[in-house]
Amino acid sequence: MEKQLSDLSIFESYRNRQVILNYYQDGDFLWKRDGFHFELIQIGTEQLLFLKGNDSTISVPINDYKTAVINTQFPNFFILRNGEDRLEIYFP
């Protein structure tokens, strides 16, 4: 089951963790996967910023996605969607 997210501030509660980003096109075509450790997440008006310990930042454009949901069976699993394209964000 999925629950609609209207407030992305939930991401700011994740700190000093690992994240896995899976990018899908046209339904089930995985075209990019990224995994890394980060210190904290900041939410900008157009992006999620994953701040890493070595002063580097990874940016995820959230304006590219129309809807955001959380998987209610796996509370650390989020899906951002835009039509058939989606970004799955998982915190193991």
Side-chain angles (χ1 to χ4, degrees), residues 11 20 34 39 41-42 45 57 62 73 78 81 90:
F11 288 112
I20 307 297
D34 198 4
E39 287 189 6
I41 300 173
Q42 291 180 344
T45 56
T57 302
I62 54 178
Q73 294 176 330
F78 301 87
R81 288 192 179 102
Y90 177 63

Side-chain angles (χ1 to χ4, degrees), residues 5-16:
L5 282 179
S6 57
D7 182 13
L8 297 181
S9 66
I10 190 170
F11 288 112
E12 293 178 334
S13 65
Y14 291 94
R15 295 176 176 267
N16 297 315

Side-chain angles (χ1 to χ4, degrees), residues 49-92:
L49 298 172
F50 292 88
L51 305 174
K52 298 172 77 174
N54 57 2
D55 293 328
S56 66
T57 302
I58 294 181
S59 172
V60 174
I62 54 178
N63 280 354
D64 291 349
Y65 302 95
K66 306 285 186 222
T67 60
V69 297
I70 185 170
N71 186 318
T72 56
Q73 294 176 330
F74 302 100
N76 294 324
F77 187 82
F78 301 87
I79 303 170
L80 305 180
R81 288 192 179 102
N82 185 7
E84 290 292 312
D85 298 339
R86 74 182 185 276
L87 167 60
E88 295 179 351
I89 302 173
Y90 177 63
F91 299 94

